[in-house]
Amino acid sequence: MFRREKRQDVRSASHAGSWYTDDGDELANELSGWLNKVQGTDPPYPIAGCKAVIAPHAGYSYSGPAAAWAYKSIDTVGIKRVFILGPSHHLYLNGCALSGCKEYATPVGNLPLDLKTINELRDTDKFESLDIDDDEAEHSLEMHLPYVRTIFKDMDISIVPIMVGAISQQSESAYGQLLAPYLAREDTFCVVSSDFCHWGTRFSYTYYYPEPEPSNEPGVRLSRTVPPSDAHPIHESISRLDHEAMEILALPSSSVSEVHVDFAKYLSRTKNTICGRHPIGVLLGALTALEESKDVHPTIKWVRYEQSSACETIRDSSVSYASAWIKF
């Protein structure tokens, strides 16, 4: 007699068939095609010592090609465990939450969860528990699963998905410190899920720089009565806005803790709608803990930036996608 899996044991690929194809062969071909188009990098892919990536999570027709630049960076040798940190779009969380499932399904092969690590994290009493409906409603984790399964094809890996809520900078640091010992392990990798600027009235965000760099003229909010300058298209302003964040996060010469503070100040000033700002903050918290305890010097390298469309007027909208690899 066959054992019937309970619904809560396996999270379905709930966004397959809408956000990306539910045909496994077709999806495999799409993913491999995008990965094969990633070329001309220095240093060459995969990146030796790459321990984490930041990558977008929109529908694959929008962000799949950009995400490939992050996933092509991954050196899979020796990896047994992959943490995936994603923001919560549907469920209000004043903390972080863990899945109650044992396995996540994808059209290109399922991924088992690392139940031992998840139970260790649960025992800290710092994490909430997701029910199956909330787990399946969220896309920020799911959109990375086919890429993870593809990059680690035929490898015995497990995943630790963590949904990150709308938490403070202090909480980001605390959760990062908790995760740091796991991320320090040679057999552990981390994926951070984030899109960048969501621009347009439908996102209630129309921040705009009236002049290109190196102008220091402050940003304004565009409206029907405050139009953009003919000399500075909206999409170029969005690029400048996103690249400000990317340059802060690139860890130029500051300590990671200083970068974490600077990133929080940038978000407070611009209100940029970077939906994965809190997962990024948790990663910065972990890197701060590793920098202070193990004297490591992390590197974040941005390798791709795209926009879903080029905004010209207040009636337009776009979402930005950025990919990076991290060594520490």
Side-chain angles (χ1 to χ4, degrees):
M1 187 177 208
F2 293 105
R3 176 180 177 271
R4 176 182 248 175
E5 294 283 359
K6 297 178 182 178
R7 176 173 176 248
Q8 59 264 33
D9 285 347
V10 181
R11 182 199 183 280
S12 69
S14 53
H15 293 75
S18 53
W19 289 57
Y20 59 100
T21 180
D22 56 2
D23 183 292
D25 291 337
E26 183 180 347
L27 180 57
N29 288 334
E30 286 182 347
L31 296 174
S32 62
W34 292 327
L35 289 165
N36 289 336
K37 288 181 180 178
V38 177
Q39 297 176 355
T41 59
D42 183 23
Y45 283 153
I47 306 299
C50 176
K51 285 282 290 174
V53 294
I54 300 171
H57 56 236
Y60 278 177
S61 62
Y62 295 100
S63 71
W69 287 76
Y71 279 96
K72 192 71 173 281
S73 307
I74 300 175
D75 183 355
T76 61
V77 176
I79 300 299
K80 298 292 186 183
R81 178 187 305 103
V82 179
F83 278 74
I84 308 175
L85 311 181
S88 176
H89 291 84
H90 302 281
L91 176 68
Y92 176 75
L93 285 174
N94 187 27
C96 294
L98 300 167
S99 175
C101 296
K102 297 179 181 178
E103 193 172 17
Y104 275 13
T106 91
V108 291
N110 291 6
L111 287 159
L113 272 63
D114 182 348
L115 300 181
K116 178 177 181 297
T117 297
I118 289 171
N119 287 332
E120 289 173 357
L121 294 174
R122 206 184 302 277
D123 287 345
T124 66
D125 293 327
K126 302 295 184 183
F127 292 85
E128 299 182 38
S129 295
L130 288 175
D131 67 33
I132 187 66
D133 292 325
D134 290 331
D135 203 341
E136 292 183 341
E138 181 55 56
H139 65 274
S140 72
L141 300 170
E142 179 180 339
M143 299 307 294
H144 289 277
L145 303 179
Y147 260 122
V148 170
R149 182 68 283 171
T150 297
I151 291 295
F152 293 95
K153 186 176 182 180
D154 298 326
M155 293 181 63
D156 183 19
I157 65 159
S158 56
I159 61 171
V160 182
I162 299 177
M163 194 180 295
V164 181
I167 57 179
S168 67
Q169 182 191 341
Q170 291 73 25
S171 292
E172 291 170 358
S173 296
Y175 278 106
Q177 189 169 26
L178 194 154
L179 297 181
Y182 294 97
L183 302 189
R185 298 176 183 175
E186 292 185 359
D187 66 353
T188 299
F189 195 84
C190 183
V191 172
V192 176
S193 176
S194 183
D195 295 336
F196 268 63
C197 183
H198 298 62
W199 198 96
T201 54
R202 73 187 184 101
F203 298 115
S204 300
Y205 188 76
T206 58
Y207 191 90
Y208 171 75
Y209 285 120
E211 296 181 2
E213 291 184 296
S215 170
N216 290 321
E217 186 172 348
V220 298
R221 306 285 175 176
L222 294 185
S223 66
R224 297 190 185 281
T225 58
V226 182
S229 163
D230 291 337
H232 197 210
I234 294 173
H235 60 87
E236 290 185 6
S237 170
I238 295 170
S239 178
R240 175 184 170 184
L241 179 67
D242 283 331
H243 279 83
E244 275 188 79
M246 293 160 67
E247 288 166 12
I248 291 170
L249 293 168
L251 308 175
S253 58
S254 309
S255 68
V256 184
S257 61
E258 291 174 325
V259 167
H260 198 177
V261 170
D262 289 344
F263 185 51
K265 288 179 179 177
Y266 161 85
L267 291 170
S268 177
R269 175 174 60 84
T270 67
K271 304 297 190 294
N272 193 359
T273 47
I274 300 173
C275 58
R277 57 195 176 275
H278 297 302
I280 291 172
V282 172
L283 175 66
L284 292 174
L287 294 180
T288 296
L290 294 174
E291 185 177 60
E292 294 173 350
S293 64
K294 296 186 178 294
D295 194 31
V296 300
H297 302 286
T299 299
I300 297 181
K301 174 70 173 178
W302 295 98
V303 291
R304 193 68 173 177
Y305 175 78
E306 300 179 5
Q307 295 175 8
S308 62
S309 61
C311 293
E312 299 283 353
T313 76
I314 190 69
R315 296 184 299 275
D316 298 330
S317 65
S318 74
V319 180
S320 305
Y321 312 118
S323 290
W325 53 258
I326 298 99
K327 293 173 66 172
F328 54 86

